[in-house]
Amino acid sequence: MISETLLEAEQKFVRSGVIGVGGTCVQAAEATTDELSGRNIENALRQWEAGDAEFPHAAVAAHYQTVGRNGVRPRLVAMLQNFHDNNRAHHVLGAWLPMTFDAQNGDYLSYVGLDYFDQVVRSDDAQRVDAFVAAAAMDLALLEARALGRSAHAPQVVRTRAVTRVVTQLDRLAPDFSLEPSVAAAGLAALAQPGADYGPFASVAAPALNSVPEEIGSAVRLTLLPTTRLHDEQMFIRCIQIFEGLYRQVATAISRSIRDLRDGLAAAAKDRLDRASIRLEAVPALFRVLTTMPVDAFSIIRGFTHGRSAVQSRAFREVEFACAPPESRDFEHVGKIDVGEDTLQDVYLAMRKTHPDAHVLEEAMRRLDRAWVAMKRGHWGITLKVIGTVPGTGGTAGASYLKHAAMTSLFPRLSEVA
Ligand code: HEM
């Protein structure tokens, strides 16, 4: 249950008059009375129930963005839960609906829509995952440019620059997505001038976003269901989704490289690992976006997302387990994940003396390890800056837990054989 104090703190932000970073989201700022009430949505849902209309996904998502999951009228929430509980929804809708009624007891998966993501994006398809990453990044850049258009205060300028830079680095963050070259060029042009006009960038990014496969575009649109009306939470959700895409790509690359190695294909395994490293080496651009999170806004978001933590991320855990289950780590906060019997480290160590390409693979493993550990260190640093040493929303000690995790290598036994 969200406390009165927290609700008041959120209200204060929304009433502050600031739009964008450190203030209210653009959807809440621009909403009409009807959009705020959600009355039309109940009617649209009744029509769907009667078989007279399509399910009003987009309208439901837009309403949630306007009022936050915690501000939706209980009657509407009950209707959506009812559809789910009575199996009125087909499987794709069924994977999305829990996002709409989990405000009191939700977890990380339903916070950012990971079940829906798995159904729609199909997590083992590198091209689709990269399309999702690229679409989420462009959507965020367009949102920040829109907020900048409403209010060009300094933190918003910094945020807009940071997300635009992410879009210009999509060739590294999402190399299996072919981004229309004019998007990165327009992003770089905007970044080159202080006091930039992001209009030309937005006018090429919007059609590029619309050109991703339809189900992926709608997965991006429908999975932005913040718990509050704070603009910064929308940035936070998008960053998590982009990271989830990266973790997923790394997990897939590792499990496939294990298979390649078993088939004697060390060069193919190396290529896969290198592509995963390239993605992770571009992560500092994402961290630059996250560090624009105002401390006071995040303390409210934390309160609304208690119990939801990326410590529950399946893809992140798969990466760590598929490499070398670290005996030294405390896994009490996560379930066991089945990633097959052998770790990449085991398979590599078994072949290193006999395979002529072993050293090439070892370099790729070390590169991946460096990039993964650097990412964990960056995350620890941001955590210290944003929440200090208070416990995490997932029940760990917080920064000290992350510091310890950041010192854990993916392939600890490689140093023994060096
Ligand atoms: C302001 C930004 C952030 C803060 C302050 C923060 C804080 C934390 C804290 C305190 C934990 C420890 C677990 C817990 O008790 O909750 C954690 C874990 C984690 N966070 Fe974040 N986080 C932030 C952003 C992100 C983002 C955007 C992602 C992307 C998915 C992310 C991914 C993770 C992962 C994967 C873990 C588990 C790490 C492990 O078990 O080694 N975090 N975070």
Side-chain angles (χ1 to χ4, degrees):
M1 197 65 164
I2 307 291
S3 72
E4 279 300 317
T5 327
L6 207 52
L7 289 169
E8 277 165 22
E10 193 248 10
Q11 180 88 288
K12 207 167 139 205
F13 252 79
V14 173
R15 298 229 167 114
S16 67
V18 177
I19 299 172
V21 177
T24 184
C25 62
V26 279
Q27 295 90 334
E30 291 173 358
T32 62
T33 321
D34 259 1
E35 282 163 347
L36 286 170
S37 78
R39 261 191 301 274
N40 294 346
I41 297 179
E42 289 177 26
N43 293 339
L45 288 171
R46 275 189 213 99
Q47 284 178 9
W48 170 74
E49 257 193 305
D52 295 339
E54 296 277 305
F55 189 88
H57 283 98
V60 175
H63 178 59
Y64 274 66
Q65 287 163 12
T66 303
V67 298
R69 287 186 210 196
N70 279 80
V72 178
R73 296 200 313 181
R75 230 174 63 167
L76 176 53
V77 175
M79 260 177 115
L80 292 162
Q81 177 151 20
N82 223 359
F83 296 148
H84 185 262
D85 295 350
N86 297 335
N87 287 327
R88 292 292 320 273
H90 56 78
H91 68 286
V92 174
L93 181 58
W96 177 73
L97 275 174
M99 297 184 77
T100 64
F101 57 78
D102 75 341
Q104 304 307 325
N105 56 0
D107 60 10
Y108 174 71
L109 269 63
S110 65
Y111 182 47
V112 291
L114 291 179
D115 284 337
Y116 183 69
F117 176 92
D118 283 348
Q119 287 263 356
V120 175
V121 180
R122 296 203 300 274
S123 35
D124 59 345
D125 183 326
Q127 282 191 349
R128 289 174 72 90
V129 175
D130 271 5
F132 181 89
V133 167
M138 287 190 281
D139 188 72
L140 176 60
L142 288 166
L143 179 74
E144 297 297 352
R146 197 169 139 203
L148 184 73
R150 293 292 308 241
S151 163
H153 57 299
Q156 185 62 54
V157 174
V158 175
R159 167 82 57 81
T160 312
R161 282 184 70 80
V163 292
T164 304
R165 185 167 290 116
V166 167
V167 173
T168 65
Q169 297 203 6
L170 282 174
D171 57 336
R172 296 165 66 208
L173 282 166
D176 284 332
F177 176 76
S178 60
L179 180 68
E180 167 61 44
S182 61
V183 179
L188 288 171
L191 291 173
Q193 0 148 349
D197 168 13
Y198 286 86
F201 168 65
S203 67
V204 283
L209 175 57
N210 285 334
S211 73
V212 301
E214 171 49 29
E215 324 86 81
I216 291 176
S218 57
V220 169
R221 283 191 295 279
L222 299 182
T223 54
L224 185 68
L225 301 190
T227 60
T228 68
R229 293 166 288 176
L230 302 193
H231 178 77
D232 299 300
E233 189 183 357
Q234 301 196 3
M235 174 278 276
F236 185 56
I237 292 174
R238 286 296 184 227
C239 283
I240 293 177
Q241 291 171 333
I242 294 170
F243 270 103
E244 277 293 329
L246 297 180
Y247 300 157
R248 181 46 64 204
Q249 297 285 34
V250 177
T252 306
I254 290 170
S255 67
R256 295 210 172 138
S257 68
I258 294 175
R259 209 175 59 195
D260 289 339
L261 281 185
R262 288 214 184 91
D263 294 342
L265 303 171
K270 174 202 171 330
D271 281 353
R272 285 190 202 286
L273 298 184
D274 280 346
R275 277 177 92 70
S277 301
I278 289 170
R279 291 181 164 91
L280 293 176
E281 285 160 3
V283 154
L286 283 171
F287 283 153
R288 267 199 290 268
V289 175
L290 265 183
T291 49
T292 63
M293 172 68 83
V295 171
D296 51 354
F298 196 68
S299 80
I300 296 173
I301 298 166
R302 261 170 63 77
F304 277 79
T305 53
H306 190 78
R308 306 179 191 261
S309 162
V311 81
Q312 298 151 2
S313 165
R314 289 189 294 234
F316 180 86
R317 209 53 63 196
E318 270 175 48
V319 172
E320 301 227 315
F321 278 30
C323 292
E327 288 78 30
S328 56
R329 290 278 302 281
D330 168 10
F331 284 111
E332 100 183 65
H333 301 282
V334 292
K336 181 86 181 86
I337 289 169
D338 182 12
V339 286
E341 297 194 344
D342 292 324
T343 67
L344 178 56
Q345 181 176 255
D346 292 337
V347 178
Y348 169 71
L349 290 175
M351 54 81 79
R352 69 181 276 273
K353 294 223 165 93
T354 51
H355 201 291
D357 292 334
H359 65 285
V360 182
L361 189 77
E362 188 173 317
E363 270 166 38
M365 288 170 71
R366 286 185 193 284
R367 179 180 177 188
L368 182 65
D369 196 16
R370 272 195 305 277
W372 186 255
V373 168
M375 181 192 73
K376 291 198 288 187
R377 238 185 282 118
H379 174 259
W380 166 52
I382 288 176
T383 301
L384 268 180
K385 184 173 170 259
V386 178
I387 63 167
T389 53
V390 300
T393 51
T396 75
S400 61
Y401 165 85
L402 294 172
K403 181 180 180 191
H404 187 235
M407 290 188 301
T408 310
S409 158
L410 280 179
F411 311 112
R413 289 185 54 208
L414 276 196
S415 52
E416 293 166 21
V417 299

